[in-house]
Amino acid sequence: MTSPARRVLAVASGKGGVGKSTLTLNLALALAKEGAQVGVLDADLYGPDIPLMVGLARTERARELSLWRLGRPISLPPVEVHGLRLMSIGFLLGEDQAVALPSMSVEPILRQLVTETEWGELDYLVVDLPPGTGDVQQQLVRMLRLDGAVVVVGPQDVSHLDAKRLLELFSDGGIRVLGGVENMAALVCPHCGESISVFGEVPEARSIWSLGVRRLGSIPLDPAVAGNRPVLLAAPESAPGLAITGVAQAIAEALE
Ligand SMILES: Nc1ncnc2c1ncn2[C@@H]1O[C@H](COP(=O)(O)OP(=O)(O)OP(=O)(O)O)[C@@H](O)[C@H]1O
Ligand SMILES: [Mg+2]
């Protein structure tokens, strides 16, 4: 098992679209703000969103790297943005090139991204996973020494239901789940500041909390999070900015 960083953290979810990539990037920024050297590995091979989220799709460096071929060893310099070192298959492919990977290529590609990226000294590597419990999760659990995982859930009970399958995968792989983060459950009214539960509460018994998963924080629905600039840079003192900072602190403490 390899470990490119002092601590490797996976950001996972059962369902898609709950905010993993957003949280990955902002958590990484929150950890870097405390002086840590932080890398981000976009392990969502089929839907790499990290490049777009930092406003870079195909970079000049990626153009140089267009020699990149599966199975050919090549060292990959990470792309440095906002003080983070990022690697994503999205940097290595054309912007609108479809990612059509036979499942047998998942392991070698992940291995290349993990081991051939020149990460340098890293305190944290934050890994953005695709949703669910597919090939990528199963390979990564075997390949990387994951020190902890965070599970992101949306405000729907199906999101919790699918997250439970993920908890099983982590438990079978001996991976410590540091806790769960609820995203987009509440809306803070811009006029009166009151917190509104937009979708209603997920019944406790159906939630991952009922399995003893620690609540690391709840990030409100806020257009500032969906903006072009990561909320931790654009509005660190906003409700979501503060919530994410709190989650990062809890994670850093749990990983010490
Ligand atoms: N708290 C929030 N408030 C408003 N918008 C949000 C919030 N969190 C995430 N979003 C938006 O929701 C969308 C989905 O988020 P994101 O891509 O991070 O989810 P994901 O779990 O990584 O999705 P996928 O499973 O497809 O990889 C994005 O457009 C993002 O900007
Ligand atoms: Mg994503």
Side-chain angles (χ1 to χ4, degrees):
M1 282 210 198
T2 63
S3 183
R6 217 164 56 76
R7 294 284 182 258
V8 182
L9 172 75
V11 179
S13 77
K15 276 258 176 286
V18 295
K20 291 175 296 302
S21 303
T22 306
L23 187 67
T24 297
L25 195 60
N26 284 291
L27 275 181
L29 287 166
L31 292 166
K33 211 172 170 181
E34 294 300 309
Q37 299 292 333
V38 187
V40 172
L41 172 66
D42 182 358
D44 194 344
L45 300 184
Y46 297 97
D49 288 333
I50 295 290
L52 211 72
M53 285 185 171
V54 293
L56 290 172
R58 196 158 160 78
T59 59
E60 275 310 313
R61 187 166 286 165
R63 255 179 265 276
E64 291 162 25
L65 287 172
S66 57
L67 284 173
W68 183 77
R69 293 282 184 280
L70 177 60
R72 181 193 289 178
I74 175 172
S75 65
L76 305 168
V79 174
E80 300 205 14
V81 185
H82 307 314
L84 305 174
R85 295 173 217 162
L86 314 175
M87 183 45 73
S88 166
I89 195 169
F91 290 134
L92 308 174
L93 298 169
E95 222 158 298
D96 39 21
Q97 201 171 332
V99 190
L101 298 177
S103 67
M104 57 188 278
S105 336
V106 166
E107 196 270 345
I109 289 183
L110 278 177
R111 193 170 290 282
Q112 275 193 307
L113 295 178
V114 170
T115 60
E116 284 164 24
T117 299
E118 297 158 0
W119 295 110
E121 289 268 314
L122 284 185
D123 295 306
Y124 297 97
L125 180 67
V126 190
V127 184
D128 181 23
L129 293 177
T133 50
D135 289 351
V136 169
Q137 288 81 351
Q138 297 185 29
Q139 295 294 348
L140 270 183
V141 163
R142 284 185 218 134
M143 182 187 307
L144 259 184
R145 194 207 67 216
L146 290 175
D147 298 291
V150 171
V151 176
V152 186
V153 285
Q156 301 83 10
D157 51 2
V158 282
S159 161
H160 284 256
L161 208 70
D162 288 349
K164 289 181 182 175
R165 290 184 242 282
L166 195 62
L167 294 175
E168 242 170 72
L169 178 109
F170 287 140
S171 154
D172 291 348
I175 310 257
R176 182 175 162 215
V177 174
L178 304 178
V181 175
E182 183 183 54
N183 190 21
M184 298 191 266
L187 174 80
V188 181
C189 172
H191 306 293
C192 67
E194 196 190 327
S195 179
I196 306 156
S197 172
V198 186
F199 304 93
E201 300 292 329
V202 173
E204 177 77 17
R206 296 174 70 92
S207 72
I208 56 169
W209 320 123
S210 70
L211 301 178
V213 175
R214 179 179 167 204
R215 286 178 193 257
L216 294 172
S218 182
I219 305 163
L221 191 72
D222 188 326
V225 181
N228 287 332
R229 210 169 141 71
V231 69
L232 221 90
L233 298 176
E237 300 301 321
S238 62
L242 293 174
I244 293 168
T245 302
V247 172
Q249 278 162 356
I251 287 170
E253 277 163 30
L255 287 176
E256 264 330 299

